[in-house]
Amino acid sequence: MELDKRVAEIVAKAYAGEAATEEECVYLLGFGEASPEAFAVRAAAASIVRARTDNTAVIFGQIGVECSPCTADCDFCSFAASTTGFEAMRLDDEAIVEKIDGFCKDGDLYGLWLMTMHEYDLEYYLHVLKLAREHAPAETNIYTNVGDTSYEDFCKMKEAGASGVYHICRLGEGEHTKLDPEARFQTMENARRAGLAILDAVEPIGPEHTPEQLVEKMFLTKRFRSIQTGSMKRIAVPGTPFADKGEINHFTLSQIVSVQCLALLDMETLPWIGIHEPCEAGYLSGANLISAETGVNPRDTAEDTSASRGLDMDASRRVLFEAGFTHLCKGDGTKVPLTMEYIEGCNR
């Protein structure tokens, strides 16, 4: 079977280091996920990304430090004020330190996200940031995952120990959320102005989203020069308006992330590229970041997602090892060999 001529040309350009354009990415996503063209793009993305990173992956961790019925009221989120089963709760210092130590005890966590609600108590959050910076190894980056925030408050977060911000104008923003898309973009500009790195993703992806909608979000990574990106599927959280709207499968998600990889090849430093939910198909399609999670989670109704959807550090290492990665990168850029001996040693 002969490969579509235009796809072959786009793939050949990718191997030569030329990124796919927005229009080309839309074209690539027009092929079925099991088509020869989709497999060719997956192979190109995986081989190019692994070559540029010395076959290296990274592990990020996230701690949901508090929750409450959230005024953002996102239709896809377990915290939405209109539908949530959560009551206000907050981790105390002892629980936070225990979770940080669990992620960081072996020194190979690249970055730690600290997640709270759209509206949050700044003083508490600054305290949590300082706590994390005191207890996490110096080589582990601390990242925020908060709602829309001012430049002045991001400056305070940087002083407290944050080095970057996860923030994005999501799919359906302003339609399936009560948030203003322009406020989301302004928050990213505020963070960048405060000297914080931007981390993002294309999310939350559902079966109704078109190639054009996905590609528009992919290219925000280049606009904000993000150091991390990825693709995240929407979870049909029970009780939310999207509970019965379906989910894409991992195979489809892997096709999306492979196209995303080709879109970013002209960035001087290739961002770490995540896939969520973590899946081996994604790591064979260009993704190289996995997320371990604990505490509350917007895609889960459990009070601690580590007992439900979330992976721990050991499971994360094993997923990456089985996907063929040979190194893990720490937050300071140093690498450790990812071998079964290393994984077993971390559990002793």
Side-chain angles (χ1 to χ4, degrees):
M1 182 181 296
E2 187 174 351
L3 198 66
D4 177 89
K5 183 178 178 181
R6 190 174 181 208
V7 172
E9 292 173 350
I10 295 169
V11 167
K13 288 193 300 182
Y15 280 115
E18 184 174 340
T21 66
E22 291 189 53
E23 194 273 333
E24 287 171 339
C25 289
V26 170
Y27 185 74
L28 294 176
L29 287 173
F31 291 88
E33 60 262 36
S35 66
E37 288 76 13
F39 278 115
V41 173
R42 288 187 183 94
S47 60
I48 294 167
V49 168
R50 291 186 187 228
R52 285 183 60 170
T53 59
D54 191 28
N55 201 21
T56 299
V58 289
I59 305 175
F60 279 52
Q62 176 165 279
I63 303 174
V65 299
E66 66 175 344
C67 75
S68 59
C70 183
T71 56
D73 217 22
C74 304
D75 288 343
F76 41 77
C77 180
S78 62
F79 305 138
S82 296
T83 57
T84 189
F86 285 109
E87 296 181 358
M89 58 178 290
R90 175 178 287 179
L91 296 179
D92 61 23
D93 288 6
E94 182 179 359
I96 293 171
V97 170
E98 180 182 0
K99 292 178 183 300
I100 292 170
D101 289 346
F103 279 142
C104 296
K105 68 180 182 68
D106 297 297
D108 57 2
L109 186 74
Y110 185 95
L112 176 64
W113 284 303
L114 300 170
M115 188 203 73
T116 183
M117 301 296 98
H118 178 70
E119 295 183 353
Y120 60 97
D121 180 332
L122 177 63
E123 293 309 311
Y124 168 74
Y125 194 76
L126 292 174
H127 170 73
V128 172
L129 280 171
K130 292 174 184 177
L131 197 65
R133 190 62 284 167
E134 289 171 3
H135 287 271
E139 61 267 26
T140 294
N141 298 296
I142 308 297
Y143 300 122
T144 73
N145 188 349
V146 299
D148 290 325
T149 296
S150 68
Y151 160 74
E152 291 78 11
D153 287 349
F154 276 137
C155 289
K156 294 176 183 177
M157 291 182 194
K158 183 177 181 182
E159 185 178 355
S163 56
V165 172
Y166 181 87
H167 210 77
I168 188 64
C169 182
R170 296 161 296 182
L171 291 158
E173 201 79 83
E175 177 184 359
H176 295 295
T177 78
K178 290 184 177 178
L179 304 179
D180 178 3
E182 288 307 313
R184 304 291 287 179
F185 291 134
Q186 184 59 55
T187 291
M188 296 164 80
E189 293 290 0
N190 292 343
R192 192 162 66 172
R193 183 179 162 212
L196 294 164
I198 303 297
L199 302 86
D200 67 36
V202 179
E203 56 111 336
I205 305 171
E208 75 279 10
H209 291 123
T210 66
E212 289 81 5
Q213 290 171 317
L214 299 176
V215 171
E216 178 187 6
K217 299 301 183 186
M218 289 177 188
F219 276 74
L220 291 176
T221 297
K222 293 204 274 193
R223 171 178 166 182
F224 289 97
R225 300 189 294 278
S226 306
I227 64 168
Q228 173 269 322
T229 188
S231 294
M232 182 187 299
K233 64 179 284 188
R234 187 180 67 228
I235 299 298
V237 179
T240 66
F242 278 109
D244 61 352
K245 303 300 184 184
E247 299 181 12
I248 63 171
N249 60 31
H250 288 165
F251 193 47
T252 298
L253 188 60
S254 73
Q255 180 189 19
I256 295 168
V257 83
S258 70
V259 173
Q260 186 177 23
C261 291
L262 297 197
L264 305 176
L265 296 181
D266 56 351
M267 294 184 70
E268 183 176 353
T269 300
L270 194 66
W272 297 109
I273 300 168
I275 191 160
H276 213 73
E277 303 285 302
C279 58
E280 193 162 334
Y283 298 114
L284 300 179
S285 302
N288 57 7
L289 180 154
I290 194 166
S291 299
E293 297 174 299
T294 186
V296 291
N297 189 289
R299 299 177 310 283
D300 203 345
T301 56
E303 288 189 3
D304 190 338
T305 195
S306 62
S308 179
R309 303 195 68 88
L311 297 178
D312 61 15
M313 292 295 291
D314 179 62
S316 298
R317 294 184 190 102
R318 291 175 186 273
V319 169
L320 296 174
F321 173 79
E322 294 296 340
F325 291 102
T326 54
H327 299 86
L328 286 177
C329 187
K330 299 181 180 183
D332 62 359
T334 61
K335 298 179 182 181
V336 295
L338 182 58
T339 63
M340 188 53 67
E341 291 76 16
Y342 174 77
I343 292 171
E344 291 174 349
C346 290
N347 293 324
R348 296 193 186 115

